[in-house]
């Protein structure tokens, strides 16, 4: 039987929603970029996963919420890798890619998103069935 800690689940979802608007990348001249400014598709897919997770919380499907938490964790890893490779392979010129890769830096928004994903992952645990 799965046991859901609702506080951790809602806190994780709230942190994931807030993280989308936190600075994710520091780009010279343009300033800090959030998730939407770095890649709109990444932003929309992230919020779709969060919305489906909220739906499963409302209809009390704990197994489905646990699955969506794993999907969100995998999506987080893919998003970090995608943004890293996009920043390091932005143009077709090797010199420009090295220069852009050195000046574009990750910001603290990724940490907020990671903490939210971890709260979502660890909000569901397996417990023993109580029989009277």
């Amino acid at each position: 039987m799965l046991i859901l800690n609702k506080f951790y689940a809602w806190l994780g979802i709230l942190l994931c929603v807030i993280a989308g608007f936190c600075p994710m990348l520091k780009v010279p001249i343009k300033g800090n970029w959030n998730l939407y400014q770095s890649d709109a598709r990444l932003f929309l897919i992230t919020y779709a996963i969060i919305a489906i997770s909220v739906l499963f919380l409302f209809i009390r499907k704990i197994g489905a919420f646990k699955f969506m938490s794993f999907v969100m964790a995998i999506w987080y890893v893919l998003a970090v890798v995608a943004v890293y490779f996009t920043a390091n392979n932005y143009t077709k010129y090797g010199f420009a890619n090295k220069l852009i890769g050195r000046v574009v830096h990750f910001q603290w928004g990724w940490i907020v998103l990671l903490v939210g994903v971890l709260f979502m992952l660890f909000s569901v645990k397996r417990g023993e069935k109580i029989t009277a």
Side-chain angles (χ1 to χ4, degrees), residues 23-84:
M24 295 288 193
L25 294 174
K26 182 175 183 176
V27 180
I29 300 172
K30 292 196 175 197
N32 293 329
W33 283 1
N34 59 18
L35 196 58
Y36 181 74
Q37 292 168 328
S38 64
D39 190 1
R41 288 174 287 174
L42 190 71
F43 176 81
L44 293 174
I45 293 171
T46 303
Y47 277 88
I49 293 171
I50 293 170
I52 293 169
S53 299
V54 168
L55 176 70
F56 287 142
L57 267 179
F58 274 124
I59 62 174
R60 298 177 192 224
K61 297 290 183 185
I62 300 173
F65 177 77
K66 183 177 181 179
F67 174 73
M68 290 307 294
S69 298
F70 282 117
V71 169
M72 187 66 182
I74 292 169
W75 182 250
Y76 172 80
V77 172
L78 289 175
V80 170
V81 170
V83 170
Y84 175 78

Side-chain angles (χ1 to χ4, degrees), residues 90-111:
Y90 196 71
T91 66
K92 59 184 174 181
Y93 304 109
F95 174 73
N97 286 337
K98 290 180 183 176
L99 182 65
I100 291 171
R102 288 184 184 163
V103 296
V104 173
H105 300 289
F106 283 78
Q107 291 288 79
W108 53 272
W110 292 104
I111 297 171

